[in-house]
């Protein structure tokens, strides 16, 4: 028991945490060991190289001055070893450059990710340093308001280069499209981020388009698609997956009219269930799953008709919401079965890091396939492909 109920509050960055100190010391020891192992590996690779007088050509040569790397657990002091090449000159000189501890590195990659997140969360440039002090301790340095300003300029320049990159050599089989509303700094009047994720014929997902827009208007989507086309993406994807936002579909019809559309089943399921009583929603959800989880398109059509017949009598609005997009909801069945799990939903637009399967020649249009003699051949992984036009 204490005689007072008044407690001293620690100011940001002034507290002492023994656990954090242990972690920092451990991180310093492990980092030192890893860099020393890099040097040892380099020396062993060149151990057979000798000078004219028979001495080893490559030897250790002390350490560089100690510097601090700002990490997610605060500053970690390190000293990078040096090597000396006693025989080489100019371009022939062997130099040591650590892959773990790059020259002039002052902060870890995780911290470089944290800084823009703080900025996007509307923490002012002047307050970022205070926020990092509270997170990392009072020893945080090199992250003043002017430093954050320079980082912001670098981010803007990097985004500008990315937004103007040439797309003439690119080809995308599928697009996943979504408008994401975030609590971040956007341009005046912008209300969401418009995102397009594309899948290449090799099965690699890439961020294709990213811009801010006024809600999800047709004009905003049109500007984004036309910009991609102007930069060389002359051939549209075979299939675009998105929710029911009319703005995108209107813009797609104008820019790439031959691209087919697939409605997102996650969004459609939510829309249908919202028109049903809560007590009926679990049963209806299972019935909807039987449609998009069917083994074949024929089975899906049968499950679709069964849902309409079962629920149409009492809940006509829910059924109407479903049947108005009948063809667009089942478009994915016309593509290889191995792709179906990726094509049912547009939620992949929020997961650009997830992998897509490689696309075989059957996904491309005949004209594109005839021109791709130097492109990607059909993959052996598609022996089990059930797409009716697949050559296998």
């Amino acid at each position: 028991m204490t005689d007072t109920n008044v407690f001293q509050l620690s100011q940001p960055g002034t507290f002492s945490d023994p656990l954090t100190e242990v972690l920092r010391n451990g991180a310093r020891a492990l980092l030192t060991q890893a860099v020393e192992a890099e040097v040892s590996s380099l020396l062993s690779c060149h151990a057979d190289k000798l000078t004219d007088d028979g001495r080893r050509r490559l030897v250790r040569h002390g350490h560089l001055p100690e510097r601090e790397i700002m990490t997610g657990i605060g500053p970690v002091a390190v000293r990078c070893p040096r090597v000396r090449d006693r025989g080489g000159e100019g371009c022939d000189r062997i130099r040591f450059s650590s892959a773990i501890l790059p020259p002039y590195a002052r902060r870890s990659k995780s911290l470089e990710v944290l800084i823009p997140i703080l900025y996007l969360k509307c923490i002012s440039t002047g307050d970022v340093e205070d926020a990092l002090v509270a997170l990392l301790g009072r020893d945080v340095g090199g992250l003043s308001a002017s430093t954050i300003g320079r980082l912001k300029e670098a981010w803007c320049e990097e985004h500008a280069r990315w937004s103007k990159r040439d797309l003439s050599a690119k080809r995308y089989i599928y697009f996943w499209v979504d408008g994401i509303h975030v609590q971040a700094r956007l341009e005046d009047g912008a209300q969401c981020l418009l995102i397009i994720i594309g899948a290449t014929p090799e099965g690699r997902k890439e961020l294709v388009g990213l811009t801010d827009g006024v809600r999800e208007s047709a004009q905003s989507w049109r500007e984004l698609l036309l910009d991609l086309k102007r930069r060389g993406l002359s051939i549209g994807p075979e299939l675009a997956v998105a929710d029911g936002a009319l703005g995108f579909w209107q813009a797609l019809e104008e820019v790439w009219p031959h691209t087919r559309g697939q409605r997102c089943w996650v969004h459609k399921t939510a829309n249908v269930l919202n028109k049903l009583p809560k007590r009926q929603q679990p049963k209806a959800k299972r019935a909807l799953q039987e449609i998009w989880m069917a083994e074949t398109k024929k089975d899906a059509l049968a499950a679709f008709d069964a849902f309409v017949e079962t629920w149409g009598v009492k809940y006509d609005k829910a059924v109407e919401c479903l049947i108005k997009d009948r063809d667009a909801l089942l478009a994915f069945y016309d593509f290889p079965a191995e792709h179906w799990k990726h094509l049912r939903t547009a939620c992949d637009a929020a997961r650009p890091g997830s992998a897509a399967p490689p696309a075989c020649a059957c996904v491309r249009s005949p004209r594109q396939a005839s021109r791709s003699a130097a492109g990607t051949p059909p993959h052996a992984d598609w022996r089990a492909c059930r797409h009716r036009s697949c050559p296998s």
Side-chain angles (χ1 to χ4, degrees), residues 172-176 197-199 237-241 335-336 339 343 359 363:
Y172 296 103
I173 303 300
Y174 303 124
F175 271 1
W176 291 268
I197 303 297
E238 297 296 322
L239 184 73
V241 187
F335 292 83
H339 296 190
L343 302 180
V363 182

Side-chain angles (χ1 to χ4, degrees), residues 219-232:
Q219 179 62 26
S220 296
W221 281 115
R222 186 183 300 109
E223 291 174 359
L224 177 55
L225 296 180
L226 288 175
D227 179 62
L228 298 178
K229 197 170 185 178
R230 279 192 297 266
R231 287 190 281 126

Side-chain angles (χ1 to χ4, degrees), residues 25 28 50 103 105 118 159 219 276 291 302 343 379:
N25 292 334
R28 177 176 182 175
L50 306 176
L118 292 176
H159 178 262
Q219 179 62 26
L276 294 172
I291 302 175
L343 302 180
H379 290 259

